[in-house]
Amino acid sequence: MLMRSTPSYIFLTVSALLLQDLCFASIVSQVKDLPGLVYDFVIIGGGTAGNVIANRLTENPNFSVLVLEAGGSNEGVLNAVVPFFCPRLTPQTPFDWNFTTVPQEGLNGRTLFYARGHILGGSSSVNFLGYTRGSSEDYDRYARLSGDPGWSWDKLQPYFRKNEKWTAPADNHNTAGQFNPAVHGFHGINSVSLAGFAQPIDSKVIQTTKELPDEFPFNLDTNSGRHLGIGYTQSTIKNGARSSSATSYLAPEFVKRRNLNVLLHAQVARVLNTAKVNGKLAFQAVEFTEGVGGPVVRVTARKEVILSAGSIGTPHILLNSGIGDSNTLSLVGIKTLLHLPSVGRNLSDHPLIGNQWLVNSTDTFEQLGRNATYAQEQLDLWTNDRRGTLVDGTFNNVGWVRLMKDASIFGKVADPAAGQNTAHFELIPTNGVTRPPFPATGNFLGVSTVVLTPTSRGSVTINSTNPFDPPLINPNFLTTDFDIFAMREAIRSARRFIAAPVWSNYTISRVSNATTDAELDVYIRSGASTIFHPVGTAGMSPKGAGYGVVDPDLRVKGVVGLRIVDASVLPVVPAAHTQAAVYVFAERAADLIKALWKD
């Protein structure tokens, strides 16, 4: 939970220690249990990226690392272990930051819950587990935008494999024809697998690719770099349980390292200017509270502070530290230490809307919400044997689709996709309603539609000098002609998908009858939300560029000792769920850090 009141500023000091000699690794909840408050590297955020950095840096026994995580432990949190329970983790739980957006102009002034993981593992502990890399063109665009070929698809391949540990599905079924082993890693750290329990609609989804192959071709492996088409979902699951950055990169064999420490419930307020180095400000200290409302503590990094607080947390901390647009900061009353106007700007996220059909089957997800006996049977099956519906997330198949080449919108705006082999929207078929409130009657088929290449841009900013007040989050959803056009066409595409002959005796009727552009716009603006993939609020740009927040090596422009490694550095949202991209960026970032500080 967020702390709303300004804490009493009690500074704790501990004499500097040679941590490589005295450090004992552990995950702790109190400062007194740490070996000291001086480390080589201090990582703000034990999330998707932060835990990768912690793991890789502590491979060098001469590096001491402290991870500051605002949330609590992931251990023993059943909803963070059982894949199918992922919808229960957010919103309005202790495992969510419980943010809300400002009223959204493109959504009829509605505010949205804006889920972010508030638990060790960050959003990798609360997401819906999809492992989707996007297209090769997404990464080649990152290379172009940053001026660094190291961010290209081909150059990142070793890092995809370094991250990924391909794992058999929970039911150990024959996966031939469901993925391409040649494009995967089998010796990495974070587990990825196919679904381990077949849902009744899975065969119908694949049959549709045979009946409508022109619009919906089958793709053996949508993570090959050429993702267009319909394929089998790959998820961060190991043996029927979630594989997060906490369970993988902070697994017991890594946490036992003497040079790695993790502090939970550490609410970071700001990074601190500690010196001037060659005319540049150095930020090599962090101010945080010990728990919500606890005393304020200062920890120092000998080498670097690494911000991995995510696309919302990272700009929030930077702005509270006096790093950002000077006009914004002066309006709030914060002294500007570094004028960096791009901080918090360029927020890009994927809007989503769920589309439903009433079906004549009773074998759908709704029975888990209506039948307590059946739900308990499924939980027992998962607990005892790692079998049944609960071993997977909520979608066993996924589709990546482009707008038609002659779509009228392209007469008005340039194609925002990274290339001709990159999807404009995503189709996510689900075997019913996956989160409360469950309808009292009826059984349903869902196909969520997601705009993957939005041109709307939003922001993260502040309106208070209290670093523990929540930020102002404005994703600015569906405020461009392209975005609303793409969502309309995505819905129409989903309807054509379900109009394939294989569904004819399965579906009864659509829940929404909106058909015309005007009707669809009303439907979209009254019902759309987000799939929670924010990026870009600390975007990377070429070295020396007058825009952006970080250079291609992810060091903050114009300062010393401060680097950002999380989704906020991605200048454009990929045509994918973002965790795979964040993992691979973190893996390469770890090597960049090691190369700078090599012995």
Side-chain angles (χ1 to χ4, degrees):
M1 300 291 291
L2 292 172
M3 186 170 70
R4 304 298 184 189
S5 59
T6 304
S8 58
Y9 278 70
I10 305 169
F11 289 88
L12 304 181
T13 59
V14 175
S15 59
L17 300 172
L18 295 176
L19 294 178
Q20 56 264 44
D21 295 329
L22 300 179
C23 176
F24 53 93
S26 57
I27 298 176
V28 300
S29 296
Q30 294 182 294
V31 171
K32 69 180 180 64
D33 294 323
L34 292 173
L37 289 175
V38 180
Y39 298 80
D40 290 320
F41 299 93
V42 176
I43 301 169
I44 300 173
T48 309
N51 291 339
V52 175
I53 300 298
N55 178 297
R56 295 306 187 186
L57 292 184
T58 54
E59 290 175 336
N60 183 338
N62 296 318
F63 289 162
S64 58
V65 172
L66 173 66
V67 178
L68 298 173
E69 167 53 40
S73 174
N74 61 302
E75 292 291 329
V77 180
L78 183 67
N79 290 342
V81 181
V82 179
F84 192 81
F85 288 171
C86 55
R88 302 182 179 186
L89 289 156
T90 61
Q92 301 300 290
T93 75
F95 313 113
D96 187 358
W97 278 95
N98 296 319
F99 293 136
T100 55
T101 69
V102 301
Q104 293 297 285
E105 176 187 348
L107 302 179
N108 295 338
R110 291 183 292 125
T111 59
L112 304 178
F113 291 122
Y114 209 70
R116 299 283 86 200
H118 187 253
I119 181 175
L120 190 61
S123 292
S124 76
S125 287
V126 303
N127 65 20
F128 279 34
L129 303 109
Y131 176 83
T132 64
R133 296 173 179 172
S135 76
S136 61
E137 295 165 338
D138 282 320
Y139 298 88
D140 292 343
R141 177 164 62 178
Y142 294 146
R144 291 194 307 273
L145 292 175
S146 66
D148 181 355
W151 295 116
S152 68
W153 173 262
D154 287 344
K155 294 294 186 182
L156 287 173
Q157 286 310 299
Y159 296 107
F160 280 113
R161 286 158 175 75
K162 199 173 182 182
N163 163 252
E164 183 187 25
K165 184 175 184 179
W166 187 266
T167 306
D171 61 359
N172 287 296
H173 73 266
N174 183 356
T175 57
Q178 296 184 356
F179 83 114
N180 180 4
V183 302
H184 291 280
F186 290 78
H187 306 289
I189 291 181
N190 192 41
S191 293
V192 176
S193 71
L194 293 163
F197 182 80
Q199 294 295 336
I201 66 169
D202 295 357
S203 61
K204 292 179 172 59
V205 170
I206 299 305
Q207 180 62 26
T208 302
T209 69
K210 299 174 182 177
E211 295 176 350
L212 301 175
D214 292 339
E215 185 172 4
F216 306 110
F218 175 71
N219 187 330
L220 174 63
D221 199 313
T222 60
N223 279 326
S224 65
R226 298 180 69 88
H227 72 163
L228 294 176
I230 311 295
Y232 291 90
T233 300
Q234 299 170 17
S235 301
T236 46
I237 295 174
K238 178 182 180 181
N239 300 329
R242 178 186 291 270
S243 179
S244 67
S245 72
T247 65
S248 58
Y249 283 90
L250 294 185
E253 64 265 35
F254 305 124
V255 171
K256 70 181 181 182
R257 291 174 182 163
R258 294 172 56 82
N259 56 338
L260 172 59
N261 287 270
V262 179
L263 178 64
L264 303 175
H265 308 296
Q267 309 279 321
V268 171
R270 54 181 62 88
V271 293
L272 302 174
N273 171 223
T274 51
K276 251 190 176 180
V277 179
N278 297 324
K280 294 182 177 182
L281 296 178
F283 287 82
Q284 291 181 247
V286 180
E287 189 176 276
F288 67 94
T289 64
E290 182 179 13
V292 176
V296 172
V297 185
R298 173 173 169 153
V299 62
T300 299
R302 296 190 189 94
K303 292 180 168 61
E304 291 188 22
V305 171
I306 300 165
L307 253 175
S308 296
S311 292
I312 306 304
T314 284
H316 189 208
I317 291 168
L318 288 173
L319 291 167
N320 281 299
S321 305
I323 301 173
D325 182 80
S326 59
N327 292 327
T328 300
L329 295 173
S330 63
L331 287 173
V332 176
I334 294 175
K335 179 182 177 181
T336 300
L337 299 182
L338 177 69
H339 177 56
L340 203 56
S342 295
V343 170
R345 297 180 180 172
N346 191 46
L347 173 61
S348 178
D349 194 1
H350 292 146
L352 165 148
I353 191 165
N355 307 283
Q356 296 175 345
W357 286 256
L358 190 67
V359 299
N360 61 15
S361 170
T362 58
D363 190 8
T364 61
F365 291 155
E366 287 81 27
Q367 62 182 326
L368 286 165
R370 296 173 183 157
N371 186 331
T373 300
Y374 174 75
Q376 185 60 51
E377 289 171 352
Q378 287 298 310
L379 181 56
D380 291 344
L381 191 61
W382 179 88
T383 302
N384 298 326
D385 301 316
R386 289 296 191 270
R387 292 190 296 115
T389 298
L390 306 187
V391 302
D392 298 322
T394 58
F395 59 106
N396 287 3
N397 300 97
V398 65
W400 311 96
V401 186
R402 281 183 62 80
L403 294 169
M404 294 181 180
K405 291 181 180 180
D406 60 353
S408 61
I409 193 67
F410 295 135
K412 301 176 182 178
V413 300
D415 185 348
Q420 293 299 305
N421 295 304
T422 299
H424 293 114
F425 57 88
E426 178 184 10
L427 304 179
I428 306 176
T430 56
N431 187 41
V433 178
T434 59
R435 70 159 77 222
F438 293 101
T441 60
N443 295 82
F444 297 88
L445 163 70
V447 181
S448 293
T449 48
V450 182
V451 177
L452 295 169
T453 56
T455 58
S456 301
R457 293 293 181 269
S459 63
V460 174
T461 189
I462 57 176
N463 64 353
S464 165
T465 58
N466 181 356
F468 302 108
D469 280 347
L472 301 179
I473 303 169
N474 181 17
N476 214 24
F477 288 121
L478 296 171
T479 52
T480 65
D481 290 344
F482 176 85
D483 290 5
I484 191 70
F485 179 94
M487 186 63 89
R488 276 190 232 117
E489 294 308 307
I491 293 168
R492 288 170 171 146
S493 177
R495 291 174 176 180
R496 290 192 295 272
F497 188 88
I498 301 303
V502 69
W503 303 97
S504 61
N505 294 321
Y506 186 74
T507 57
I508 298 172
S509 62
R510 286 201 314 257
V511 172
S512 169
N513 291 317
T515 303
T516 67
D517 284 2
E519 290 170 343
L520 284 170
D521 286 356
V522 171
Y523 168 66
I524 292 165
R525 296 196 188 282
S526 63
S529 181
T530 171
I531 199 168
F532 307 110
H533 295 156
V535 307
T537 51
M540 67 175 177
S541 63
K543 191 172 179 64
Y547 59 92
V549 177
V550 297
D551 286 333
D553 61 3
L554 309 187
R555 288 192 284 181
V556 174
K557 293 175 180 291
V559 305
V560 173
L562 184 60
R563 195 183 304 248
I564 300 173
V565 185
D566 59 31
S568 70
V569 304
L570 302 179
V572 183
V573 68
H577 302 209
T578 47
Q579 72 163 332
V582 173
Y583 275 128
V584 78
F585 262 64
E587 284 283 11
R588 183 177 182 234
D591 272 3
L592 294 174
I593 298 167
K594 287 179 176 180
L596 180 65
W597 298 103
K598 62 184 177 182
D599 295 337

